[in-house]
Short mmCIF file of all heavy atoms in Angstrom, two decimals:
data_model
loop_
_atom_site.label_atom_id
_atom_site.label_comp_id
_atom_site.label_asym_id
_atom_site.label_seq_id
_atom_site.Cartn_x
_atom_site.Cartn_y
_atom_site.Cartn_z
N VAL V 1 -3.32 -0.46 -6.68
CA VAL V 1 -4.03 -1.42 -7.52
C VAL V 1 -3.56 -1.16 -8.94
O VAL V 1 -3.59 -0.02 -9.42
CB VAL V 1 -5.56 -1.26 -7.43
CG1 VAL V 1 -6.25 -2.19 -8.44
CG2 VAL V 1 -6.05 -1.58 -6.02
N LEU V 2 -3.11 -2.20 -9.61
CA LEU V 2 -2.53 -2.09 -10.95
C LEU V 2 -3.41 -2.82 -11.95
O LEU V 2 -3.97 -3.88 -11.64
CB LEU V 2 -1.14 -2.73 -10.93
CG LEU V 2 -0.02 -2.10 -11.74
CD1 LEU V 2 0.28 -0.70 -11.22
CD2 LEU V 2 1.23 -2.97 -11.67
N ASP V 3 -3.55 -2.25 -13.16
CA ASP V 3 -4.27 -2.98 -14.20
C ASP V 3 -3.28 -3.81 -15.01
O ASP V 3 -2.08 -3.85 -14.72
CB ASP V 3 -5.11 -2.04 -15.07
CG ASP V 3 -4.27 -1.10 -15.94
OD1 ASP V 3 -3.07 -1.36 -16.13
OD2 ASP V 3 -4.84 -0.10 -16.44
N LEU V 4 -3.79 -4.46 -16.04
CA LEU V 4 -2.99 -5.45 -16.77
C LEU V 4 -1.84 -4.82 -17.56
O LEU V 4 -0.84 -5.49 -17.84
CB LEU V 4 -3.89 -6.25 -17.72
CG LEU V 4 -3.28 -7.45 -18.43
CD1 LEU V 4 -2.62 -8.40 -17.44
CD2 LEU V 4 -4.34 -8.19 -19.24
N VAL V 5 -1.94 -3.55 -17.91
CA VAL V 5 -0.85 -2.91 -18.65
C VAL V 5 0.13 -2.20 -17.72
O VAL V 5 1.04 -1.51 -18.17
CB VAL V 5 -1.40 -1.92 -19.71
CG1 VAL V 5 -2.27 -2.64 -20.71
CG2 VAL V 5 -2.16 -0.77 -19.07
N GLY V 6 -0.07 -2.35 -16.42
CA GLY V 6 0.86 -1.78 -15.47
C GLY V 6 0.54 -0.37 -15.05
O GLY V 6 1.39 0.31 -14.47
N ALA V 7 -0.66 0.11 -15.33
CA ALA V 7 -1.06 1.45 -14.92
C ALA V 7 -1.68 1.41 -13.54
O ALA V 7 -2.41 0.48 -13.19
CB ALA V 7 -2.06 2.04 -15.92
N VAL V 8 -1.38 2.44 -12.73
CA VAL V 8 -1.91 2.52 -11.37
C VAL V 8 -3.36 2.99 -11.43
O VAL V 8 -3.65 4.07 -11.92
CB VAL V 8 -1.07 3.47 -10.50
CG1 VAL V 8 -1.69 3.63 -9.12
CG2 VAL V 8 0.36 2.96 -10.38
N VAL V 9 -4.25 2.17 -10.90
CA VAL V 9 -5.67 2.50 -10.85
C VAL V 9 -6.00 3.23 -9.56
O VAL V 9 -6.83 4.15 -9.53
CB VAL V 9 -6.53 1.22 -10.97
CG1 VAL V 9 -8.01 1.52 -10.82
CG2 VAL V 9 -6.25 0.52 -12.30
N GLN V 10 -5.37 2.81 -8.47
CA GLN V 10 -5.61 3.43 -7.16
C GLN V 10 -4.33 3.37 -6.34
O GLN V 10 -3.55 2.40 -6.46
CB GLN V 10 -6.75 2.70 -6.43
CG GLN V 10 -7.31 3.44 -5.23
CD GLN V 10 -8.11 4.68 -5.61
OE1 GLN V 10 -8.70 4.72 -6.69
NE2 GLN V 10 -8.14 5.67 -4.74
N HIS V 11 -4.12 4.39 -5.55
CA HIS V 11 -2.87 4.50 -4.78
C HIS V 11 -3.17 5.05 -3.39
O HIS V 11 -4.06 5.89 -3.22
CB HIS V 11 -1.91 5.45 -5.51
CG HIS V 11 -0.78 5.96 -4.66
ND1 HIS V 11 -0.92 7.03 -3.79
CD2 HIS V 11 0.49 5.55 -4.53
CE1 HIS V 11 0.22 7.24 -3.17
NE2 HIS V 11 1.10 6.37 -3.60
N SER V 12 -2.42 4.59 -2.41
CA SER V 12 -2.47 5.20 -1.08
C SER V 12 -1.16 4.90 -0.37
O SER V 12 -0.41 4.01 -0.77
CB SER V 12 -3.66 4.67 -0.26
OG SER V 12 -3.47 3.32 0.10
N SER V 13 -0.89 5.64 0.69
CA SER V 13 0.30 5.37 1.48
C SER V 13 0.05 5.80 2.92
O SER V 13 -0.76 6.71 3.17
CB SER V 13 1.53 6.10 0.91
OG SER V 13 1.35 7.50 0.97
N ILE V 14 0.73 5.15 3.83
CA ILE V 14 0.63 5.48 5.25
C ILE V 14 2.02 5.43 5.85
O ILE V 14 2.91 4.73 5.33
CB ILE V 14 -0.29 4.51 6.02
CG1 ILE V 14 0.24 3.06 5.91
CG2 ILE V 14 -1.73 4.59 5.51
CD1 ILE V 14 -0.50 2.05 6.77
N ASN V 15 2.24 6.17 6.90
CA ASN V 15 3.48 6.01 7.65
C ASN V 15 3.48 4.62 8.28
O ASN V 15 2.48 4.21 8.90
CB ASN V 15 3.60 7.08 8.74
CG ASN V 15 3.85 8.46 8.18
OD1 ASN V 15 4.43 8.61 7.11
ND2 ASN V 15 3.40 9.49 8.89
N THR V 16 4.55 3.89 8.09
CA THR V 16 4.63 2.55 8.67
C THR V 16 4.52 2.65 10.19
O THR V 16 5.29 3.38 10.82
CB THR V 16 5.95 1.88 8.29
OG1 THR V 16 6.04 1.81 6.86
CG2 THR V 16 6.03 0.47 8.87
N PRO V 17 3.55 1.96 10.78
CA PRO V 17 3.37 2.06 12.23
C PRO V 17 4.64 1.68 12.97
O PRO V 17 5.35 0.75 12.60
CB PRO V 17 2.24 1.05 12.51
CG PRO V 17 1.49 0.96 11.22
CD PRO V 17 2.54 1.09 10.15
N GLY V 18 4.94 2.44 14.02
CA GLY V 18 6.13 2.17 14.82
C GLY V 18 5.91 1.01 15.78
O GLY V 18 4.89 0.32 15.74
N GLY V 19 6.85 0.83 16.66
CA GLY V 19 6.75 -0.27 17.62
C GLY V 19 7.25 -1.57 17.02
O GLY V 19 7.71 -1.63 15.89
N ASN V 20 7.13 -2.64 17.76
CA ASN V 20 7.64 -3.94 17.30
C ASN V 20 6.55 -5.01 17.38
O ASN V 20 6.80 -6.13 17.78
CB ASN V 20 8.86 -4.35 18.11
CG ASN V 20 8.58 -4.39 19.60
OD1 ASN V 20 7.47 -4.09 20.04
ND2 ASN V 20 9.60 -4.76 20.39
N ASP V 21 5.34 -4.62 16.97
CA ASP V 21 4.21 -5.55 16.97
C ASP V 21 3.75 -5.76 15.53
O ASP V 21 2.90 -5.03 15.03
CB ASP V 21 3.06 -5.00 17.82
CG ASP V 21 1.88 -5.96 17.87
OD1 ASP V 21 2.01 -7.09 17.35
OD2 ASP V 21 0.83 -5.58 18.42
N PRO V 22 4.32 -6.75 14.82
CA PRO V 22 3.95 -6.98 13.43
C PRO V 22 2.46 -7.25 13.22
O PRO V 22 1.89 -6.87 12.20
CB PRO V 22 4.79 -8.20 13.03
CG PRO V 22 5.95 -8.17 13.96
CD PRO V 22 5.40 -7.64 15.26
N SER V 23 1.82 -7.92 14.18
CA SER V 23 0.40 -8.25 14.01
C SER V 23 -0.44 -6.98 13.89
O SER V 23 -1.41 -6.93 13.10
CB SER V 23 -0.09 -9.11 15.17
OG SER V 23 0.01 -8.40 16.41
N ALA V 24 -0.10 -5.95 14.63
CA ALA V 24 -0.83 -4.69 14.54
C ALA V 24 -0.60 -4.03 13.19
O ALA V 24 -1.53 -3.46 12.58
CB ALA V 24 -0.40 -3.75 15.67
#
């Protein structure tokens, strides 16, 4: 989540789920 001056307000990351099901 970025504010108006480009500073990060909140951050998270996850390993991109494997497989070939984009909907999941």
Side-chain angles (χ1 to χ4, degrees):
V1 174
L2 218 63
D3 68 17
L4 188 53
V5 300
V8 176
V9 176
Q10 194 70 29
H11 164 278
S12 69
S13 63
I14 60 173
N15 290 331
T16 301
N20 56 359
D21 182 6
S23 62

